Amino acid sequence: MKRLSLAVLLLALVPASQLLAQEHEHAEAGEHEHMQSNDAAVKSIAPLHDMVKGYLIASAEQMPEDLYGYKPNDEVRSFGQIIGHVANALYMFCNSATGEGGSPGENFEERTSKAGLVEAIKMGFDACDAAYTMGDMKAMEDMEFFGNPTTRLGVLTFNIAHNWEHYGNLVVYFRANGMVPPSSQGGM
């Protein structure tokens, strides 16, 4: 077993050491510009965006229309208002991150029909998806968001966290109504 572990470790170290040697050679030759980024930063978070996107859209589609007005108490948003809020926020986060501006043209939180809110969340994600294809050079540009210094990547990461936060709200709404939320259904 020790020999197998040592062999696996050596196999892992050889490519890593070759990569470091190549980087060192390029650095010595002054070829910093020659080395291209593989745009790994945004690509590494895009699957999280896609996952929560699937859960939020499935939530909007699966909740019966008569429960779109449901809220556990008067202090919180209804199910439908959360869907509308997330749709609005997708435009705000992603348009800020890309610098392209633009808004949905309406407050989706004021929509009340299931069909209108399902459409709104899909439109929000459609408007946001392109932001998760930006290259690392642009993603690492400094910017200010909510009065704080960050990067475009920071805003995209905040967007994902915001979406997961509100998906967590919706999970409670599903469970409180005796339903299984999309993330617990399997197959997604």
Side-chain angles (χ1 to χ4, degrees):
M1 188 65 173
K2 286 183 182 179
R3 286 184 187 169
L4 180 61
S5 297
L6 183 59
V8 170
L9 179 63
L10 288 174
L11 286 174
L13 290 176
V14 169
S17 64
Q18 288 174 344
L19 202 73
L20 287 172
Q22 287 173 356
E23 276 188 42
H24 183 72
E25 287 172 18
H26 286 293
E28 284 183 345
E31 297 178 13
H32 295 289
E33 286 76 33
H34 172 72
M35 297 177 65
Q36 295 293 319
S37 165
N38 63 0
D39 293 331
V42 177
K43 286 179 184 176
S44 71
I45 65 169
L48 296 172
H49 166 75
D50 291 338
M51 182 185 291
V52 74
K53 170 186 174 178
Y55 292 152
L56 283 164
I57 290 172
S59 294
E61 292 173 337
Q62 292 176 18
M63 184 62 77
E65 183 151 15
D66 64 324
L67 292 176
Y68 261 66
Y70 172 78
K71 50 178 150 176
N73 65 54
D74 291 334
E75 305 290 317
V76 297
R77 290 180 172 107
S78 69
F79 181 91
Q81 288 170 326
I82 291 174
I83 296 295
H85 168 74
V86 170
N88 288 336
L90 287 165
Y91 281 90
M92 187 259 310
F93 280 107
C94 292
N95 288 341
S96 294
T98 62
E100 294 176 10
S103 68
E106 71 175 286
N107 180 358
F108 290 131
E109 207 169 323
E110 293 175 355
R111 287 189 179 189
T112 57
S113 74
K114 176 179 177 173
L117 286 160
V118 168
E119 175 190 46
I121 194 111
K122 286 180 177 180
M123 288 172 24
F125 276 111
D126 286 347
C128 209
D129 285 346
Y132 287 89
T133 64
M134 85 172 60
D136 283 358
M137 292 295 289
K138 183 170 183 170
M140 298 314 296
E141 289 176 3
D142 291 330
M143 62 178 294
E144 188 173 295
F145 191 68
F146 286 138
N148 296 304
T150 189
T151 62
R152 295 178 189 283
L153 179 64
V155 175
L156 292 177
T157 304
F158 191 167
N159 179 58
I160 293 169
H162 180 261
N163 290 338
W164 279 111
E165 175 185 3
H166 287 299
Y167 176 67
N169 297 138
L170 298 181
V171 166
V172 173
Y173 289 34
F174 269 88
R175 296 288 187 195
N177 285 286
M179 299 174 66
V180 178
S183 55
S184 295
Q185 293 172 9
M188 288 192 95

